[in-house]
Amino acid sequence: MANNKSFAEQTNADNKEIGFHYQYYYFLYRLLNLKSGQSAGLEVKDDVHTELDNDTQILFQLKHTVQNNAVGNPIALTELDGDLWKTLHNWAKIISDETDGRSLKSEQIKFIKKTEFHLVTNKSESRRNKFLKGLEAYKAAEMNFDTLYNHIKSLHGKTQDASIKTYIVEVLSLEGEVLQLFLSQIHLELSLDDLHTLIKTAIREKMVENSKVDIVFERLDSNIRTDNYISIKQGEKVQLDFDSFYGRYRNIFATSREPLQLGRPFVAAYPDDIFAQTFIKQLIAIKAMKVDDVEKAFEYTTHKLKIARLLDEWLQSGDLVADEVAAFHGDVTFKWRNAFEHWCEDCLDHEVVAKAKGLLYDLRQLEFSIASSKLNTELSNGELYHLSDEKLIGWHRNWKTL
């Protein structure tokens, strides 16, 4: 049955709207693939463009169709497709744009040499598209320029569409050497329909957990759309370099990180002599526990062993990396040092034990953080006992010599 559409349906704004979305999401995809020194723009130099760090640029024309073939897939890109020749026409106009100082052949060649021209579309490849097959053959030095040129001229004579004739004339109006170079710089990305999947893959490749990819995508999409709107409203270009993109949106990736799992099953392997541990001796020295308090000795040792085990497991599973663990130990040590200076450095001999207990009490109230996760009191206290056992911190004024 023929798929007849009313005039209103044929001119429906929804068809244009999806084209805008297609363009925007491809821009977002290019942003996610930027490297240091590169930038991407939306409707600045072309539909989308990227500037690389070697004084080269890529211009992207985005063409989206809502027309499907008999099996429900987007239609193929034919050799007399209006999107194809309008795109080549637009690029030919850009190449010879006098306003940008490219009226001379030398300037046009210079521009083309630093530019790649990419047509991105959800239309599929057509086996009958002799122009595209000829273009690829020409780029591979399997067809000479005159043969390809004559085929383009034949297409001008073949089509009855006045607009396409105009587009082809503009392309052929480029000087011979300019046109040869231009054709060698054309690239096609066909059947690119599911941009959401491409974007989410790019997000996943930035070390985002699978369970968080959708959240990152939604937040990134919302924030970039809002920022684009503000930029356009203020008369500014929508263009971001790598540093700007990283600085403005990195927190979206950082906050997507899964919180550390604190409640993992844990069975402690206690030392043979629990009272021989350095941190236990330090606690006894300031009378924070009795010399024979077996229950507290095992409780505190459990805290110490648990945080040490979890840190190791988080490292092995990739939930943390080594510099994060080092930064965690360093931060806790720094907090201890500040408190130690306040409580113990200048205390009198008769105040040593009381001040040490005050220091210990204050630090036991703190809940430390590692990466983006906050530890509970048990694990925070365990970290204090671990550092004490490693002789990195202490409570007594003279803890180093005890």
Side-chain angles (χ1 to χ4, degrees):
M1 181 177 179
N3 186 19
N4 296 324
K5 293 185 178 181
S6 68
F7 178 78
E9 289 174 321
Q10 294 175 41
T11 58
N12 195 318
D14 288 346
N15 295 342
K16 297 178 181 178
E17 183 69 18
I18 196 169
F20 294 135
H21 287 307
Y22 189 68
Q23 182 176 308
Y24 160 75
Y25 281 121
Y26 191 77
F27 168 66
L28 178 52
Y29 173 65
R30 300 312 308 186
L31 281 178
L32 285 164
N33 284 277
L34 287 179
K35 293 179 173 56
S36 181
Q38 300 179 356
S39 66
L42 178 65
E43 294 188 330
V44 178
K45 296 185 175 183
D46 210 328
D47 289 345
V48 175
H49 82 272
T50 59
E51 292 181 331
L52 309 182
D53 51 358
N54 56 355
D55 195 34
T56 60
Q57 61 183 354
I58 306 175
L59 303 185
F60 299 95
Q61 281 268 317
L62 283 295
K63 301 299 180 185
H64 186 278
T65 183
V66 294
Q67 293 180 275
N68 293 328
N69 58 25
V71 295
N73 295 323
I75 60 173
L77 187 74
T78 65
E79 68 175 348
L80 283 173
D81 192 298
D83 284 342
L84 171 62
W85 289 104
K86 184 176 182 180
T87 295
L88 299 182
H89 159 272
N90 290 346
W91 285 333
K93 297 287 282 185
I94 291 173
I95 290 168
S96 59
D97 192 345
E98 295 183 8
T99 306
D100 281 341
R102 289 191 292 273
S103 59
L104 299 177
K105 170 185 169 181
S106 59
E107 292 301 321
Q108 294 172 9
I109 290 175
K110 181 180 178 182
F111 176 79
I112 296 172
K113 283 183 175 179
K114 70 171 188 177
T115 307
E116 288 185 9
F117 304 87
H118 289 235
L119 170 58
V120 181
T121 179
N122 67 326
K123 292 182 179 180
S124 57
E125 182 177 359
S126 171
R127 295 177 182 177
R128 292 178 292 181
N129 193 327
K130 294 181 180 179
F131 167 69
L132 291 188
K133 290 183 181 297
L135 180 65
E136 292 306 313
Y138 169 71
K139 288 161 60 179
E142 296 170 357
M143 177 184 286
N144 62 44
F145 171 69
D146 289 339
T147 301
L148 182 58
Y149 181 87
N150 288 331
H151 182 68
I152 296 172
K153 284 184 68 176
S154 73
L155 291 176
H156 178 270
K158 179 179 178 181
T159 184
Q160 300 301 311
D161 188 303
S163 295
I164 294 176
K165 282 184 178 290
T166 301
Y167 298 151
I168 294 175
V169 167
E170 185 64 38
V171 173
L172 295 178
S173 70
L174 293 174
E175 195 276 337
E177 187 179 352
V178 174
L179 181 56
Q180 289 183 56
L181 187 58
F182 170 46
L183 291 171
S184 70
Q185 294 286 76
I186 295 172
H187 304 269
L188 285 96
E189 299 177 38
L190 303 177
S191 300
L192 195 62
D193 197 40
D194 191 358
L195 286 176
H196 280 195
T197 297
L198 276 180
I199 292 168
K200 290 178 181 180
T201 299
I203 291 171
R204 178 72 181 86
E205 289 171 348
K206 294 189 180 299
M207 307 300 179
V208 174
E209 289 284 342
N210 282 326
S211 61
K212 297 289 186 179
V213 167
D214 284 346
I215 296 173
V216 171
F217 171 67
E218 290 165 9
R219 290 190 63 202
L220 200 59
D221 182 17
S222 174
N223 280 275
I224 290 178
R225 281 186 184 276
T226 299
D227 289 345
N228 286 357
Y229 171 76
I230 293 171
S231 295
I232 294 168
K233 189 177 180 181
Q234 294 176 344
E236 299 171 355
K237 295 178 180 178
V238 178
Q239 185 165 335
L240 282 170
D241 60 22
F242 173 83
D243 290 335
S244 298
F245 178 68
Y246 174 81
R248 192 176 299 176
Y249 304 109
R250 72 182 186 280
N251 195 49
I252 292 175
F253 294 90
T255 56
S256 71
R257 191 172 187 172
E258 290 278 1
L260 297 172
Q261 300 301 309
L262 307 183
R264 292 185 177 186
F266 172 73
V267 178
Y270 297 103
D272 293 334
D273 186 353
I274 205 155
F275 286 99
Q277 298 175 97
T278 298
F279 90 97
I280 292 290
K281 291 179 179 179
Q282 287 207 30
L283 292 174
I284 291 173
I286 65 168
K287 300 181 180 179
M289 62 175 287
K290 295 179 180 178
V291 70
D292 58 352
D293 194 336
V294 176
E295 184 177 346
K296 280 190 175 180
F298 274 98
E299 178 187 345
Y300 297 160
T301 300
T302 300
H303 301 337
K304 183 200 77 165
L305 294 174
K306 188 172 184 179
I307 184 62
R309 171 78 65 79
L310 285 176
L311 289 173
D312 184 60
E313 289 181 356
W314 289 329
L315 272 174
Q316 295 303 319
S317 65
D319 292 321
L320 292 177
V321 291
D323 63 350
E324 290 175 315
V325 174
F328 167 61
H329 291 321
D331 183 60
V332 175
T333 302
F334 194 79
K335 287 181 170 66
W336 163 82
R337 185 178 299 115
N338 287 341
F340 184 83
E341 290 175 359
H342 170 75
W343 281 100
C344 301
E345 273 203 347
D346 299 320
C347 68
L348 301 176
D349 289 346
H350 69 276
E351 298 175 320
V352 168
V353 170
K355 295 286 188 180
K357 282 186 173 181
L359 167 64
L360 178 63
Y361 176 82
D362 273 4
L363 290 175
R364 277 175 168 172
Q365 308 313 304
L366 301 180
E367 291 185 338
F368 304 124
S369 294
I370 182 167
S372 57
S373 295
K374 189 174 184 180
L375 302 181
N376 58 29
T377 302
E378 176 193 13
L379 295 177
S380 297
N381 286 355
E383 171 66 3
L384 294 173
Y385 304 147
H386 166 74
L387 294 176
S388 173
D389 207 49
E390 294 293 320
K391 300 180 181 179
L392 296 173
I393 67 173
W395 321 112
H396 193 282
R397 182 185 62 187
N398 304 318
W399 65 274
K400 289 184 180 179
T401 58
L402 287 177

